[in-house]
């Protein structure tokens, strides 16, 4: 007999992982001891084990409240694969199925039960819990996606507010609330609304070190996207677009390019949406092209990239959307194209919205933070973490660290750009002003006599993209303002005066490729994400994947529920020859070794 703690033993035997991550062990010990906890951990940090293991070790059943009905099935399937007695109760089931699960609960046959909040609060389920409580068979309550209690967030669920009733009714049953939301306001709200004042708070760093951040200046977005995707021929990923139309067009176009892409947005039939989501979860290597309607609660661990073709709404939104990549801890990429239009569109969107002044002020400051992040020449990760009040040094895994952008003295260019705006009465957008600066006598330029202006052809030293970059940075920095009342005409702000008068100099970021003929570095990227595979036995990896796909289809579960990519890679590298060797591979616990061991050994023989 070995001297392992009960949690570590469970981690190894059931889940097949060698050691705990971050604060997992502390949290688990705290729960086993009967304490309440609030766990703030980024996506992919490993929150589930924090309640699953205590539920296995404590007497009775762990009740998990989760708002995401679509996800319960997959979570339960994954537990069943690991040999855990788990089930869920939600509105998608028929009466007979639900009754059978209730019977198993009463008979003490379950370790974990996943319940939708509205179900949990029914008299019927409360009665069942009263019964279990009398028998001392309520192991714990886990409240997943606890930020749903926040009325100010995007995922507010009214039923979550009533979950404080759990504490009043069963004061001795330990509760654990979990969220990946990084902002402090929401955290405080969770504590007060769920009555967790006495709970111990476990805060992890919100850094996602395996995600590489890259922002490219939009030039030819489709070609840029294709270039980016070329490193990911067999990987699953998400491409976010702002509009439904763009989603449909981009998905169709990717399919023409031989990439399996599916559209997802709120304008599609619910049945189509569900089908696309299922295919994304269940098949390997699908690209989901989507609006932000897609993604909440997608806990597919092997999403290798999240690409944004349009600017997200805020840094919070960006962090959340990109956080869907790389949950498995393997290298992943967050990539975004960004351009002048983004800045104009978002500024106008806020100005034109019907929101109150205070709301607009908040939205403007969020947009400013996001734009500053896009334009930064410092480490993107450090800046992102700073936004969430975390200090960090340069990361070495973002575009600005890997390929530091250069600055140039843009004072004169800025003066030319502003004077073009001034001399045309501040009535035009960037496109027309650039034509003037570059000396293009277009019809519009001639019609207004703008070819007579001293600024006409004053900027032939930069090309269109160079000027767009200047205008974009002036807008982002708030020196120019896009006027909502005048169809986005550019006006100078008060902040522009010192630059215009030459009292302050202005440093601008050099557009990457154009100025030093350097391409963004797909080779550096490839080495991070795709190509470790080249070093290992690709035919064996493919054979394992094909075997897994077949099994997943037979069982009607996502492929990662059978085994993770990471586990397949380990298998390929180690080529275990015995069942005992198999058990040493991360991700293979006892149940999986028994179930799949022989087949795996045969494949690797
Ligand atoms: P979260 O809910 O925090 O987003 P999950 O609980 O889904 O994260 O875990 C993310 C991934 O990390 C899962 O694939 C899980 O199996 C894996 N994982 C969690 N804890 C460990 C660990 N201690 N060792 C190895 N892998 C782990
Ligand atoms: Zn960095």
């Amino acid at each position: 007999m070995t001297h392992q703690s009960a949690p570590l033993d469970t981690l190894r035997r059931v889940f097949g992982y060698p050691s705990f991550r971050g604060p997992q062990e502390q949290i688990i010990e705290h729960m086993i001891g009967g304490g309440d906890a609030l766990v703030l951990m980024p996506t992919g940090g490993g929150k589930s084990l924090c309640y699953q293991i205590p539920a296995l070790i404590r007497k009775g059943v762990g009740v998990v409240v989760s708002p995401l009905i679509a996800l319960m099935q997959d979570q339960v399937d994954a537990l069943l694969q690991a040999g855990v007695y788990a089930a869920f109760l939600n509105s998608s089931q028929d009466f007979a199925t639900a009754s059978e699960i209730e019977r198993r609960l009463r008979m003490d046959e379950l370790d974990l039960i996943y319940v939708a909040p509205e179900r949990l609060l029914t008299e019927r389920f409360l009665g069942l819990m009263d019964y279990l409580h009398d028998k001392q068979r309520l192991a714990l309550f886990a409240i997943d996606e606890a930020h749903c209690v926040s009325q100010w967030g995007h995922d507010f669920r009214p039923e979550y507010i009533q979950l404080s009733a759990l504490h009043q009714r069963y004061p001795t049953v330990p509760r654990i609330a979990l969220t990946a939301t990084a902002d402090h306001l929401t955290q405080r709200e969770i504590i007060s609304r769920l009555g967790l004042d006495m709970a111990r708070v476990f805060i992890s760093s919100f850094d996602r070190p395996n995600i590489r951040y890259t922002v490219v200046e939009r030039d030819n977005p489709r070609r840029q996207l294709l270039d980016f995707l070329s490193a990911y021929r067999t990987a699953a990923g998400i491409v976010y677009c702002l509009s439904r139309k763009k989603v449909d067009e981009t998905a169709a176009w990717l399919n023409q390019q031989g990439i399996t892409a599916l559209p997802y947005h709120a304008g599609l039939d619910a049945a189509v949406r569900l089908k696309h989501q299922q295919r994304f979860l269940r098949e390997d290597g699908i690209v989901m092209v989507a609006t932000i309607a897609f993604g909440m609660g997608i806990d597919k661990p092997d999403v290798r990239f999240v690409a944004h073709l349009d600017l997200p709404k805020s840094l919070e939104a960006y962090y959340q959307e990109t956080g869907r990549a790389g949950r498995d801890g393997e290298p992943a990429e967050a990539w975004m194209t960004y351009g002048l239009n983004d800045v104009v569109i978002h500024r106008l969107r806020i100005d034109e919205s019907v929101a109150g002044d205070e709301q607009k002020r908040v939205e403007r400051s969020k947009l400013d933070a996001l734009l500053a992040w896009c334009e930064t020449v410092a480490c993107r990760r450090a800046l992102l973490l700073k936004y969430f009040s975390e200090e960090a040094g340069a990361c070495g895994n973002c575009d600005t660290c890997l390929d530091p952008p250069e600055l140039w003295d843009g004072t004169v260019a800025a003066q030319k750009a502003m004077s073009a705006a001034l001399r045309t009465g501040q009535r035009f957008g960037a496109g027309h002003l650039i034509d003037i600066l570059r000396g293009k006598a277009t019809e519009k330029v001639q019609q207004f006599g703008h070819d007579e202006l001293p600024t006409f052809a004053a900027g032939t030293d930069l090309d269109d993209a160079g000027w767009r970059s200047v205008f974009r940075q002036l807008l982002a920095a708030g020196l120019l303002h896009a006027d909502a009342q005048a169809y986005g005409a550019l006006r100078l702000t008060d902040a522009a005066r010192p630059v215009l008068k030459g009292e302050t100099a202005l440093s601008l970021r050099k557009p990457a490729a154009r100025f030093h003929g350097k391409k963004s570095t797909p080779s550096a990227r490839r080495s991070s994400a795709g190509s470790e595979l080249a070093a290992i036995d690709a035919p064996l990896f493919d054979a394992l994947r094909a075997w897994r796909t077949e099994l997943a289809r037979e069982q009607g579960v996502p492929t990662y529920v059978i085994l993770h990519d990471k586990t397949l890679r380990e298998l390929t590298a180690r080529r275990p020859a015995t069942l005992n060797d198999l058990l040493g591979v991360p991700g293979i616990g006892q149940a999986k070794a028994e179930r799949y061991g022989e087949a795996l050994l045969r494949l690797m023989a």
Side-chain angles (χ1 to χ4, degrees):
M1 211 178 126
T2 50
H3 289 277
Q4 285 180 358
S5 68
L8 189 60
D9 175 63
T10 307
L11 178 75
R12 292 180 178 166
R13 190 169 36 81
V14 178
F15 298 96
Y17 296 131
S19 54
F20 283 112
R21 260 195 212 156
Q24 278 177 332
E25 189 163 26
Q26 269 181 297
I27 298 167
I28 291 167
E29 297 282 3
H30 180 72
M31 293 305 295
I32 293 172
D36 290 345
L38 171 60
V39 172
L40 311 166
M41 204 186 261
T43 305
K47 287 186 282 300
S48 324
L49 291 182
C50 298
Y51 55 83
Q52 288 168 348
I53 291 182
L56 289 174
I57 292 174
R58 282 178 66 92
K59 189 167 164 241
V61 65
V63 179
V64 186
V65 187
S66 165
L68 305 163
I69 291 184
L71 262 187
M72 285 183 188
Q73 175 92 55
D74 292 346
Q75 281 165 333
V76 166
D77 281 339
L79 286 166
L80 293 174
Q81 293 279 333
V84 174
Y85 297 100
F88 64 87
L89 275 174
N90 65 37
S91 56
S92 73
Q93 291 159 316
D94 60 29
F95 183 75
T97 311
S99 302
E100 167 59 12
I101 289 162
E102 288 171 6
R103 186 197 62 77
R104 294 179 64 200
L105 260 176
R106 217 171 277 116
M107 300 303 287
D108 201 15
E109 290 176 10
L110 291 174
D111 295 314
L112 279 157
I113 179 82
Y114 285 73
V115 211
E118 59 277 10
R119 184 64 164 249
L120 181 98
L121 296 160
T122 58
E123 279 309 314
R124 188 181 173 93
F125 196 77
L126 288 169
L128 189 53
M129 287 199 296
D130 288 345
Y131 170 83
L132 296 172
H133 187 241
D134 284 344
K135 306 249 165 202
Q136 299 192 325
R137 285 208 258 106
L138 280 178
L140 58 84
F141 292 115
I143 301 167
D144 207 3
E145 315 285 349
H147 59 276
C148 290
V149 81
S150 162
Q151 275 176 306
W152 311 114
H154 295 293
D155 304 327
F156 176 56
R157 307 271 165 140
E159 313 83 31
Y160 258 65
I161 300 232
Q162 293 161 41
L163 291 177
S164 56
L166 290 176
H167 181 49
Q168 282 134 28
R169 202 158 170 138
Y170 314 110
T172 56
V173 179
R175 292 172 304 151
I176 175 171
L178 311 100
T179 180
T181 300
D183 83 84
H184 294 283
L185 214 65
T186 311
Q187 291 165 11
R188 276 200 304 254
E189 233 182 321
I190 295 173
I191 293 177
S192 78
R193 288 192 191 272
L194 294 178
L196 285 167
D197 315 75
M198 304 299 281
R200 188 155 154 204
V201 181
F202 296 88
I203 303 182
S204 303
S205 164
F206 277 83
D207 188 17
R208 303 285 311 279
N210 59 315
I211 298 181
R212 175 173 297 180
Y213 299 101
T214 304
V215 177
V216 301
E217 287 170 53
R218 189 174 309 124
D219 172 8
N220 177 341
R222 287 191 167 179
R223 201 212 66 228
Q224 287 172 304
L225 178 65
L226 208 57
D227 250 19
F228 170 73
L229 292 179
S230 67
Y232 290 104
R233 281 292 163 182
T234 60
I238 306 172
V239 176
Y240 280 115
C241 307
L242 202 59
S243 71
R244 297 171 182 184
K245 183 160 169 272
K246 189 158 166 187
V247 164
D248 289 332
E249 289 170 359
T250 307
W253 179 78
L254 283 177
N255 280 305
Q256 282 164 19
Q257 305 302 311
I259 293 170
T260 313
L262 299 172
Y264 190 106
H265 56 70
L268 292 170
D269 240 28
V272 174
R273 284 206 306 267
L274 185 66
K275 195 175 106 209
H276 289 184
Q277 174 168 322
Q278 294 294 53
R279 281 193 64 194
F280 179 72
L281 294 176
R282 270 146 219 244
E283 293 174 31
D284 286 326
I286 294 213
V287 175
M288 191 67 114
V289 185
T291 61
I292 51 167
F294 178 74
M296 157 77 162
I298 291 301
D299 74 348
K300 184 175 167 62
D302 54 0
V303 175
R304 291 274 65 83
F305 62 85
V306 171
H308 280 84
L309 290 186
D310 298 296
L311 195 69
K313 258 186 96 163
S314 63
L315 272 175
E316 285 100 332
Y318 181 72
Y319 177 82
Q320 197 175 45
E321 285 150 30
T322 55
R324 290 162 191 151
R327 269 175 177 260
D328 54 9
E330 299 280 278
E333 215 168 347
W335 180 88
M336 176 164 104
T337 71
Y338 162 70
L340 177 60
N341 271 350
D342 287 316
V343 188
V344 175
I345 288 172
H346 280 262
R347 290 246 190 263
L348 291 179
R349 172 181 61 79
I350 297 175
D351 288 349
E352 286 171 342
S353 87
V354 293
D357 285 350
E358 173 62 11
Q359 175 77 13
K360 284 189 182 181
R361 197 186 57 74
V362 171
E363 285 195 25
R364 279 198 195 101
S365 76
K366 287 187 178 207
L367 178 61
D368 285 342
L370 176 61
L371 295 177
W373 183 83
C374 290
E375 301 288 358
T376 188
V377 292
C379 171
R380 286 199 203 278
R381 185 184 316 276
L383 195 57
L384 188 60
L385 289 171
K386 192 163 164 218
Y387 187 72
F388 296 121
S389 316
E390 254 186 71
E391 289 300 320
C395 74
N397 192 27
C398 71
D399 57 347
T400 52
C401 279
L402 292 164
D403 188 8
E406 287 169 43
L407 291 173
W408 60 293
D409 183 347
T411 315
V412 173
Q415 287 167 344
K416 287 179 185 170
M418 294 184 209
S419 99
L422 278 177
R423 287 179 188 277
T424 53
Q426 309 195 80
R427 292 190 295 129
F428 297 90
H432 183 67
L433 299 180
I434 290 173
D435 285 343
I436 295 172
L437 287 160
R438 296 206 59 217
K440 286 195 223 165
T442 64
E443 226 171 87
K444 191 169 168 187
V445 167
Q446 291 178 20
Q447 181 195 333
F448 286 98
H450 290 161
D451 46 354
E452 315 276 319
L453 295 174
T455 27
F456 185 75
T460 48
D461 48 334
L462 294 179
D463 63 7
D464 277 2
W467 278 113
R468 278 202 302 271
S469 165
V470 171
F471 276 100
R472 192 194 70 226
Q473 295 186 64
L474 291 175
L475 271 157
L479 273 58
L480 288 179
H481 173 76
D483 188 346
Q485 257 82 59
Y487 308 105
L490 299 184
R491 294 180 187 281
L492 273 63
T493 66
D494 290 343
R497 306 267 163 238
V499 177
L500 193 63
K501 289 192 203 146
E503 291 161 10
T504 25
L506 189 70
S507 272
L508 295 177
R509 197 183 207 274
K510 274 192 190 178
R514 221 153 295 275
F515 278 73
H516 28 148
K518 202 160 42 168
K519 290 260 286 179
S520 69
T521 50
S523 53
R525 257 185 33 224
R526 241 168 233 127
S527 70
S528 88
S531 79
E532 272 147 53
L533 267 187
I536 65 171
D537 182 345
L540 176 56
F541 184 79
D542 289 345
L544 289 169
R545 252 175 108 139
W547 165 83
R548 183 181 65 173
T549 303
E550 192 48 41
L551 269 185
R553 193 162 314 164
E554 271 170 26
Q555 301 184 24
V557 296
T559 52
Y560 61 81
V561 161
I562 310 265
L563 292 173
H564 281 184
D565 275 359
K566 191 172 187 163
T567 305
L568 296 191
R569 241 193 301 283
E570 286 287 335
L571 284 168
T572 314
R574 298 188 191 192
R575 281 188 173 257
T578 66
L579 269 181
N580 216 26
D581 294 347
L582 258 187
L583 280 168
V585 176
I588 301 189
Q590 236 152 35
K592 287 189 182 176
E594 273 163 31
R595 236 169 135 169
Y596 305 128
E598 258 178 57
L600 284 172
L601 292 176
R602 222 176 304 125
L603 276 167
M604 285 178 297

